[in-house]
Amino acid sequence: MMLKGALGPLPATPTITSSPSPTSTTPTTTTSIPTQPIPNACEKILTGHTGTVNTVKWNSDGSYCLSGGKDRSLKLWNPHKGLLIKTYNGHGYEVLDIAVVRDNSRISSVGGDRQVYLWDVSTGNIIKKFKGHDRQINCVRFNHENTVLVSGSYDKTVKIWDLKSNSYDPIQTIDDAKDSVTSIFLTEQEIITGSVDGMIRNYDIRMGMLRTDHIGQPITSVNVSADNNCILASSLDDRIRLMDKETGELLSEYKGHVNSRFKIDSQLTFDDGFVVSGSEDNVVYIWDLVEGKQLRTLHGHAEAVVSVNCHHKENIVISG
């Protein structure tokens, strides 16, 4: 499908890519310091979904990962061993995004159901379904205290849900976007959104302020650097932009990948050293953050790569 918050086609096999160990010529997943090489080889191929994979995420400590797909399921993996641990069934439509709490006990998922699902990881049971969006939900995130969920939808709204309340309704709805909200990132005091109207909106919750940056192209992904100073934004003009979070100044652009039709993720590695992105030409691209130079392309997917997620402590990327 074309963008408007929808995801494009993907192979049904998320892959793990890692850096080589400095003491071995074979791929490994043990590298963890910024000076070691960037990912350059496929470590594992995880098979299990019966349709395309729409989203992949590491859990909070990077020991497991999750995937969600067109087959309406979520899957929990041990990617280092290539093992499927559990499958979560309950969605009536495709799964488009996943979020994980810091203690890994709960996950949230969203998609075509127009509901925000909250799951117990160990039992696989649905704890709650939050209702309020009118169209498919594209993105979801927990806040840092794991007390609130924030979701963004094709219905042009961002909704906030209180996990401590018995209510199934949102506690707040933000309706500033003029088109589909495609991506959300939360800091300790900010909700940062990207939407198809070409705007990045930064809501400072504590100060009650809204800052906006006009990109001029439909935005597919927003992320924030580990030092909390920069926003990384992908858009439908085959560009990834690095911007100063406070001033909106354009710091760098990253080119070479293909992103003109689908919702494609981009992300910074754990040390803010590299930019990683999926692409519609079936490849994962990696650039040097400072120089903007394309350093590597990772092959192995048969169709467009729309989801990438970087490990929190090591130079490992999962893609789907």
Side-chain angles (χ1 to χ4, degrees), residues 2-16:
M2 296 292 184
L3 186 77
K4 278 287 180 181
L7 290 166
L10 272 179
T13 54
T15 65
I16 306 294

Side-chain angles (χ1 to χ4, degrees), residues 28-154:
T28 181
T29 58
T30 58
T31 54
S32 60
I33 60 175
T35 54
Q36 293 181 339
I38 58 176
N40 68 351
C42 180
E43 179 75 8
K44 291 285 190 306
I45 297 177
L46 309 177
T47 59
H49 284 283
T50 56
T52 56
V53 175
N54 292 329
T55 181
V56 290
K57 290 288 191 307
W58 290 101
N59 73 342
S60 62
D61 61 10
S63 56
Y64 297 94
C65 66
L66 292 125
S67 58
K70 198 173 181 65
D71 62 4
R72 301 173 292 179
S73 74
L74 291 81
K75 293 186 183 295
L76 176 67
W77 308 83
N78 182 329
H80 309 289
K81 295 183 179 180
L83 296 177
L84 175 62
I85 306 299
K86 187 183 285 290
T87 297
Y88 302 84
N89 292 307
H91 276 275
Y93 295 84
E94 64 180 323
V95 179
L96 296 177
D97 199 17
I98 300 169
V100 188
V101 295
R102 288 177 177 267
D103 66 1
N104 298 318
S105 63
R106 293 172 295 167
I107 55 178
S108 180
S109 59
V110 296
D113 304 86
R114 300 179 291 179
Q115 300 178 84
V116 178
Y117 284 64
L118 183 66
W119 305 79
D120 182 278
V121 170
S122 60
T123 66
N125 294 330
I126 298 172
I127 301 171
K128 211 168 190 178
K129 295 181 188 177
F130 296 98
K131 302 177 181 179
H133 282 293
D134 296 329
R135 306 288 294 275
Q136 75 174 34
I137 307 173
N138 301 316
C139 46
V140 65
R141 293 291 181 269
F142 287 97
N143 70 338
H144 281 240
E145 293 79 23
N146 301 320
T147 56
V148 165
L149 273 169
V150 182
S151 57
S153 170
Y154 198 95

Side-chain angles (χ1 to χ4, degrees), residues 15-20 25-29 37-45 286 296-300 315-317 319:
T15 65
I16 306 294
T17 311
S18 66
S19 306
T25 58
T26 58
T28 181
T29 58
I38 58 176
N40 68 351
C42 180
E43 179 75 8
K44 291 285 190 306
I45 297 177
I286 302 177
R296 190 154 293 160
T297 55
L298 305 175
H299 299 262
N315 278 333
I316 308 172
V317 177
S319 60

